[in-house]
Amino acid sequence: MKKYIYLFLTVLCITSFMSCEDFLKEESEYQFTTSTLFETPEGLEKMVIALYPYERELPRKGGNVNGFLGSHLWGERNTDLSVFTTGDDANLCRFSSPGPNSNIRGLIYSPFWTHRYYLIARTNEIIFYGNKLGEDAKASVAEASFWRAYNYYGLWSRFSRLFLTTEPITKDNLNDLTYTPADSIDVFKLMYSDLDTAIKGLPLTRKNTETDGRVTKATARHLKALVAAWAKDWQTVANEVEAIETEKSHEFAPDVTNIFNRSDLHNVSEALFTLIYANERGGGSGHRLGTQYINTIAEQTYTSKLINGQLVKYHEDNLGKSWGLAFPNSYLMSLYNENDKRLQGYYKIHYTFQNPNALITIPVSQLKTDKNTGKSYWTTTNHTNAPIKAEIGDLIYGRDIVAAGKSKIDRRAMLPSSIKMVDLYTKPLDADGAISYKDQIIYRLSESYLLAAEAYFHLNNQEKARYFYNKTWVRAGNTAITDDITFDMIRDENARELAFEGRRWDFLKRNGIWYNQMKKYSGDFTKYPGSSSPYKKDEYTIANGYDPKFGPNPDYYADFNGSDNDVLVRFNVKPFHVNWPIPQDQIDAMGEENFPQTDGYK
């Protein structure tokens, strides 16, 4: 088995570098040899550059059609912020099939584990051979050190148990490897050390096209702040964010509504780390992240738009053709003030009638009481004394269509959409399967500031906590906070600012609140739970950990059609789910006697 692993990594390494190196400049692919890669500064630089295109493939893993892995990493599934629909996505999100031997293993756990360890193996080689070359390879060692810490951080945040290795795997040491779970102290020591090396050796900025998108000193400082936050090393968190602000290599974007409305997100002033995609040779194969978080309102005849005398189904107003798999839930949307600018900049909430052939007459609303919950709700939005005929440009509400046409709209068409990854720039509006080449932001300055607010809260420095908290809060159009900052405020502002960027899981888990937040808010009541977990009014109480504000609400689910079990996650989730299971195929390779399965999944 070890021989198989070694041969696989060797072949993968060589083919990866042979196929990706035209990323910056074209050379003969046949010039790459073990000698030129490992024994010259130029070869190590090529190896560093090859890390970026390999990482760009992560959003497509777990099935290239769905990009299943990427959709879970960045789509806030399995956090308290989303409601989800259909298939394997929903099974995982509801924890109905999360085990190490389930189909999910092949779509999520194994691809993530092997992806991260492949990159770790490459960084081990760069660092090992680069240190032998000394000063000439210092920059490559610094960059590879960031990447090694980045990959170990990714593994730690998801699995909390990992195999730690820092030496290149060769035929000489292959049989000496011992696959045992690493001590967490050793893992954090390595990440700290690697990030110190990266901070010392990386440049402040990357201003030319040949190095665009590569990590900088600020990227490494941000990751070190994240690592320190896990370690509750709050002074280090504060120091690193203060250094980012002092060095001024990145500017906090002044207008929150204009951060994501472009494809070249690497040019956003507050982007600290971005995966760059381009529809050209060397630019990667793209991804499908944007369409997964946009609802399918375009499939409703009411939104077809008359353009140049022709009814057009997919247009910019309804964000074109999308897939609709995960959406902001009612808990997330409740966290925003009504005038918070992020509601406009980060979401598409309202859609309008556009089809002159499909307009409806909205009946006068009636107040009804739900027999199960005892809650009252209005049947339409028309509170006048007479029916109203909808006009072009009027907002669409599901209950109005229900009352007028006696048929509900599928919830995938009516739920709000996260538009951070929507692509109106490189993806044709009428193409569902088209690949998007919109860049993907991994780290933003916004998160740095919220990390500093959290650190200063723990350090009992309210003046500094308010200063950094108000960075994102005031930019969104809210009045500056003058009272004391609380942890709950930081928790909620983290959700408001960073939702659907893949940062929520880390925050909840490292603060020890993932399970409670999942139990209270994950998924949504877009309809009553299924018969396997029937809704019991007396049991759905605050005493059992649920927030009744986000229980069954007919004023919310009355708009939606179909049987919906998305709230089952609150019934199924267990504390051990906060850790991903070690992929069974990896345990088989390492030996279960050496690396046993995570508790709860056995």
Side-chain angles (χ1 to χ4, degrees):
M1 180 60 71
K2 289 182 178 179
K3 181 179 180 181
Y4 168 79
I5 294 172
Y6 172 69
L7 290 174
F8 171 76
L9 290 178
T10 301
V11 173
L12 192 57
C13 172
I14 294 172
T15 56
S16 174
F17 293 134
M18 289 176 65
S19 62
C20 296
E21 190 33 48
D22 57 0
F23 177 66
L24 293 185
K25 58 184 179 180
E26 293 188 11
E27 291 185 18
S28 170
E29 295 175 338
Y30 302 103
Q31 292 178 5
F32 300 136
T33 66
T34 301
S35 176
T36 58
L37 285 175
F38 292 160
E39 298 178 9
T40 67
E42 294 78 15
L44 292 181
E45 171 75 357
K46 296 177 189 298
M47 292 180 69
V48 169
I49 294 169
L51 301 174
Y52 291 87
Y54 191 79
E55 180 69 5
R56 284 200 301 263
E57 289 302 307
L58 190 61
R60 289 178 56 80
K61 292 192 174 184
N64 284 345
V65 174
N66 296 345
F68 196 75
L69 173 56
S71 73
H72 281 264
L73 293 177
W74 292 289
E76 302 298 357
R77 284 137 157 113
N78 294 136
T79 74
D80 53 346
L81 304 182
S82 74
V83 58
F84 28 77
T85 64
T86 194
D88 281 323
D89 295 67
N91 289 334
L92 174 58
C93 296
R94 297 176 189 137
F95 291 105
S96 55
S97 62
N101 289 306
S102 68
N103 184 44
I104 302 301
R105 187 211 77 191
L107 296 173
I108 296 286
Y109 309 130
S110 287
F112 186 75
W113 181 280
T114 56
H115 179 94
R116 291 278 166 246
Y117 272 110
Y118 173 78
L119 286 173
I120 287 169
R122 305 289 74 76
T123 58
N124 285 345
E125 292 166 345
I126 297 168
I127 294 168
F128 178 82
Y129 292 105
N131 284 331
K132 285 188 173 183
L133 293 174
E135 193 68 22
D136 290 342
K138 182 179 178 181
S140 293
V141 169
E143 200 163 351
S145 294
F146 165 84
W147 275 97
R148 185 163 68 181
Y150 174 74
N151 283 285
Y152 272 126
Y153 176 83
L155 289 165
W156 179 263
S157 64
R158 295 288 163 168
F159 296 100
S160 295
R161 295 169 68 248
L162 49 85
F163 165 63
L164 190 65
T165 176
T166 59
E167 296 183 2
I169 298 176
T170 68
K171 63 182 180 180
D172 296 324
N173 66 9
L174 181 62
N175 292 324
D176 297 330
L177 295 176
T178 302
Y179 296 101
T180 56
D183 189 309
S184 60
I185 293 176
D186 293 333
V187 175
F188 278 80
K189 279 183 178 179
L190 178 64
M191 290 191 291
Y192 267 80
S193 175
D194 276 350
L195 291 169
D196 285 340
T197 300
I199 291 168
K200 184 178 179 180
L202 286 172
L204 271 177
T205 60
R206 305 274 198 180
K207 292 298 185 182
N208 62 73
T209 56
E210 286 193 350
T211 58
D212 234 2
R214 291 170 66 177
V215 296
T216 64
K217 197 181 296 290
T219 319
R221 289 195 185 280
H222 181 88
L223 180 54
K224 187 176 178 182
L226 283 170
V227 171
W230 278 86
K232 310 302 181 189
D233 180 4
W234 299 115
Q235 191 59 60
T236 296
V237 176
N239 291 346
E240 294 303 331
V241 178
E242 291 276 11
I244 291 173
E245 187 173 38
T246 299
E247 290 167 350
K248 298 185 183 302
S249 60
H250 294 266
E251 178 185 355
F252 197 49
D255 185 357
V256 73
T257 63
N258 288 329
I259 293 176
F260 295 97
N261 61 350
R262 57 196 297 171
S263 62
D264 60 335
L265 294 179
H266 67 283
N267 285 323
V268 171
S269 59
E270 68 176 70
L272 301 178
F273 183 26
T274 308
L275 298 182
I276 299 179
Y277 293 85
N279 191 9
E280 58 190 34
R281 190 179 182 192
S285 56
H287 58 80
R288 298 186 58 160
L289 289 178
T291 60
Q292 302 197 37
Y293 316 130
I294 308 302
N295 73 22
T296 58
I297 191 68
E299 304 304 323
Q300 302 298 313
T301 58
Y302 308 104
T303 68
S304 294
K305 190 173 186 179
L306 197 62
I307 301 177
N308 297 326
Q310 298 290 324
L311 278 177
V312 177
K313 186 175 184 179
Y314 305 113
H315 48 81
E316 288 196 12
D317 289 348
N318 58 25
L319 305 181
K321 188 173 185 179
S322 293
W323 205 4
L325 294 180
F327 310 93
N329 64 7
S330 57
Y331 167 65
L332 172 57
M333 302 313 294
S334 77
L335 298 178
Y336 294 93
N337 294 330
E338 183 178 354
N339 296 319
D340 194 303
K341 294 179 181 179
R342 290 171 291 200
L343 287 173
Q344 174 188 351
Y346 296 171
Y347 306 98
K348 177 77 170 179
I349 300 173
H350 298 299
Y351 296 81
T352 58
F353 280 103
Q354 294 291 341
N355 190 341
N357 300 325
L359 300 183
I360 64 172
T361 298
I362 306 170
V364 175
S365 186
Q366 299 178 23
L367 187 63
K368 291 191 174 182
T369 301
D370 185 274
K371 64 180 180 180
N372 293 307
T373 66
K375 294 181 180 180
S376 297
Y377 66 101
W378 293 100
T379 57
T380 74
T381 62
N382 176 14
H383 298 290
T384 68
N385 295 322
I388 296 176
K389 185 176 182 180
E391 298 181 357
I392 298 293
D394 285 351
L395 297 181
I396 292 177
Y397 295 99
R399 66 197 58 206
D400 292 340
I401 295 174
V402 172
K406 306 303 180 185
S407 63
K408 292 185 177 183
I409 295 180
D410 189 295
R411 67 198 186 282
R412 292 178 65 189
M414 294 301 296
L415 287 166
S417 300
S418 168
I419 60 174
K420 288 180 175 179
M421 286 303 295
V422 69
D423 187 1
L424 303 177
Y425 319 98
T426 74
K427 184 184 89 66
L429 288 169
D430 61 351
D432 175 31
I435 290 298
S436 167
Y437 291 92
K438 182 174 181 175
D439 294 343
Q440 181 184 356
I441 296 178
I442 304 301
Y443 298 145
R444 279 198 294 138
L445 197 53
S446 293
E447 186 180 27
S448 305
Y449 289 153
L450 289 173
L451 281 166
E454 186 179 354
Y456 281 119
F457 161 77
H458 287 290
L459 293 169
N460 296 315
N461 187 334
Q462 280 292 326
E463 181 181 1
K464 284 284 193 177
R466 280 191 295 271
Y467 171 76
F468 283 106
Y469 180 91
N470 280 324
K471 290 277 193 180
T472 57
W473 178 253
V474 173
R475 182 177 68 172
N478 300 298
T479 303
I481 298 295
T482 57
D483 296 332
D484 283 355
I485 300 298
T486 67
F487 177 78
D488 287 354
M489 293 169 63
I490 294 169
R491 176 200 62 202
D492 293 348
E493 183 64 2
N494 176 281
R496 286 186 288 261
E497 181 64 27
L498 300 171
F500 284 83
E501 295 183 52
R503 308 306 307 138
R504 188 63 169 178
W505 174 286
D506 294 14
F507 177 86
L508 297 178
K509 183 175 179 178
R510 67 177 171 77
N511 279 296
I513 60 174
W514 180 85
Y515 175 71
N516 286 338
Q517 288 291 112
M518 292 287 287
K519 194 76 173 173
K520 290 181 180 180
Y521 307 122
S522 186
D524 230 330
F525 271 103
T526 52
K527 204 173 178 66
Y528 289 131
S531 57
S532 60
S533 296
Y535 170 64
K536 297 179 181 179
K537 182 179 179 181
D538 294 338
E539 293 182 4
Y540 200 86
T541 64
I542 196 70
N544 291 319
Y546 300 98
D547 189 332
K549 180 180 177 182
F550 300 100
N553 182 357
D555 203 42
Y556 180 65
Y557 64 70
D559 292 285
F560 303 117
N561 182 40
S563 176
D564 180 31
N565 296 328
D566 292 333
V567 77
L568 289 180
V569 59
R570 302 185 201 176
F571 296 86
N572 293 341
V573 66
K574 300 293 187 295
F576 69 83
H577 288 139
V578 72
N579 296 313
W580 281 6
I582 308 301
Q584 189 60 47
D585 54 352
Q586 299 302 306
I587 290 179
D588 292 342
M590 293 185 290
E592 189 169 4
E593 69 282 4
N594 300 316
F595 211 105
Q597 184 54 264
T598 302
D599 290 343
Y601 291 101
K602 296 179 180 180

